[in-house]
Amino acid sequence: MGYHKVKIGDAVKVALSVAVSAGLVVWLFHKVDFHKVMAIIREGIDYRYIAAMMLLTVLSHVIRGVRWGIQLRAAGIPRIPVLAESVSIFGAYALNLVFPFLGEAWRCVYISDREKCALSTVVGTDLGDRASDGLMILLLVGLTTVVARGAIDSFLDRYPAGEAIDRVVADGTVWLWMLAVAVVFAIAHRLLRHTAFIGGVDRSARRMWDGFRVLFHMKGTGLYIVLTFGIWICYYLETYVCFFAFPFTRSLVTDGHWAFGLLPGLVVFVFGSCSMGIPSDGGLGAWNIAVMFALSLFGISDSEGAAYSIICWSFQALMLVACGIFSAGYIMASRRHARGASTVPSSRGDASRSGERPSAGRE
């Protein structure tokens, strides 16, 4: 019965994410002229810049893998080859196209299985990894609010989503409800702390915290910060480079009024980043709509904004799928190598019994 409940729960989650993505895509094409979007896509796109964006995507994932490796080593997990670190990120982002956050779970299981270490510790490092991203998003939102205040005010005034955000933030009732929920959870934990279930939760939470808190005392903190900025600079450049691929966004770059496209690029990038919190497959629908909204603040029509978002998302997804296939091939090859290497100890044992001294070495 429990197994069937898990299967039903997984099916519901997948159906929900697909429904969210499909609903947002339907809304997107209800909002724009599909034929005009296709005409824009067929004409005037410089795919050299799209290719550059795809390479930046790969570079950002390699940097993210190296950065995660710093956390893993600080949590007591042995050094992992850079290629394996990169593969953990390639596979994760490919799986996120299938189901939101599936990739996060997979990369933790992959590292835990590969290094034979506690899964909860790896999950803790993943939480720290994502906390770093959350901090960067907050910093970027703050920067955008300062340097592109006019665009943010325009969004809050022109769109129902912006008005809703403004209303929720200003409504003290929402914050009171959040506080009440936190108090209820604290009381429930206090009353049930001696039960086996809560004890297990607490132990897992402590391991996660151990993996998370390495951020505050690990070696290589300076490099970690540099790599964090490197990841997000790549993300920003993915958006900015694509401006050169379309005639209508290229005009933002040539217009000195918008700091040669740097400010519109920042606004589009931040809107797109914030949209990734919506549970859709790889940001499909949510990211497209957020980018379209952001571009409209700079005079880009909905059809043009939709074309930009569709091309950028599609080619980035294509790159993620290719990286995911590479990851699957790498993992299968690594496992075959490991199975082949497992026969080495027995041959060494035979050599020892015959009086030969086996050569020392570590794979």
Side-chain angles (χ1 to χ4, degrees):
M1 181 65 72
Y3 174 79
H4 292 298
K5 286 182 179 179
V6 171
K7 285 293 184 183
I8 292 172
D10 291 342
V12 169
K13 291 176 182 177
V14 171
L16 178 61
S17 68
V18 171
V20 169
S21 297
L24 290 172
V25 170
V26 169
W27 185 93
L28 173 66
F29 284 109
H30 175 73
K31 178 79 173 175
V32 303
D33 185 337
F34 179 74
H35 297 291
K36 187 178 292 186
V37 170
M38 293 309 298
I40 293 170
I41 290 174
R42 285 193 296 267
E43 301 172 3
I45 298 176
D46 190 336
Y47 285 98
R48 293 176 301 173
Y49 294 102
I50 301 299
M53 178 270 291
M54 296 168 75
L55 293 176
L56 284 167
T57 297
V58 176
L59 178 60
S60 70
H61 292 345
V62 172
I63 296 173
R64 180 178 288 279
V66 173
R67 188 187 71 166
W68 194 31
I70 296 174
Q71 289 177 265
L72 292 171
R73 289 193 293 276
I77 298 169
R79 178 179 290 275
I80 301 169
V82 171
L83 183 55
E85 293 171 341
S86 302
V87 160
S88 72
I89 305 300
F90 293 160
Y93 275 78
L95 287 171
N96 282 341
L97 293 173
V98 178
F99 181 71
F101 311 117
L102 174 62
E104 302 304 313
W106 173 82
R107 69 165 170 158
C108 292
V109 172
Y110 168 63
I111 293 298
S112 175
D113 180 65
R114 187 183 190 279
E115 300 302 319
K116 302 298 184 287
C117 56
L119 176 61
S120 52
T121 299
V122 182
V123 170
T125 63
D126 181 57
L127 293 176
D129 181 87
R130 289 308 180 182
S132 302
D133 292 336
L135 179 59
M136 285 300 300
I137 290 175
L138 290 176
L139 290 174
L140 287 167
V141 169
L143 176 63
T144 305
T145 302
V146 172
V147 302
R149 181 68 187 181
I152 299 299
D153 289 340
S154 179
F155 168 73
L156 294 175
D157 294 338
R158 284 173 55 185
Y159 294 104
E163 294 174 359
I165 292 172
D166 197 24
R167 186 167 54 252
V168 167
V169 171
D171 188 359
T173 305
V174 174
W175 300 104
L176 288 175
W177 272 108
M178 291 175 64
L179 178 61
V181 169
V183 170
V184 169
F185 272 106
I187 293 173
H189 180 272
R190 179 73 176 175
L191 293 176
L192 302 174
R193 65 186 184 279
H194 297 301
T195 63
F197 173 75
I198 296 297
V201 170
D202 283 347
R203 285 190 295 273
S204 295
R206 280 194 296 271
R207 292 194 190 101
M208 290 182 187
W209 171 246
D210 288 340
F212 175 78
R213 68 192 179 106
V214 299
L215 282 175
F216 307 107
H217 59 76
M218 65 186 180
K219 293 181 179 179
T221 301
L223 178 59
Y224 185 91
I225 293 172
V226 170
L227 293 174
T228 298
F229 279 98
I231 292 168
W232 286 86
I233 289 171
C234 285
Y235 287 169
Y236 172 75
L237 289 177
E238 289 172 27
T239 299
Y240 185 71
V241 163
C242 283
F243 277 6
F244 291 87
F246 301 85
F248 48 85
T249 48
R250 199 179 302 130
S251 64
L252 297 176
V253 178
T254 58
D255 187 354
H257 177 69
W258 296 117
F260 304 104
L262 295 174
L263 286 182
L266 180 61
V267 173
V268 171
F269 171 56
V270 169
F271 273 54
S273 298
C274 292
S275 73
M276 297 306 289
I278 297 174
S280 63
D281 298 334
L284 178 60
W287 186 86
N288 302 85
I289 291 171
V291 166
M292 186 182 74
F293 276 169
L295 286 171
S296 72
L297 300 176
F298 301 96
I300 305 299
S301 71
D302 287 343
S303 296
E304 291 170 334
Y308 174 94
S309 70
I310 289 169
I311 287 293
C312 292
W313 188 93
S314 298
F315 278 87
Q316 189 173 67
L318 180 64
M319 190 75 255
L320 296 180
V321 170
C323 289
I325 293 171
F326 171 80
S327 298
Y330 171 85
I331 291 170
M332 287 189 291
S334 297
R335 287 175 177 170
R336 282 197 299 269
H337 176 74
R339 285 196 295 269
S342 66
T343 63
V344 172
S346 60
S347 62
R348 286 177 179 173
D350 294 340
S352 297
R353 285 190 293 272
S354 64
E356 298 178 10
R357 182 177 179 180
S359 59
R362 182 176 183 267
E363 295 175 12

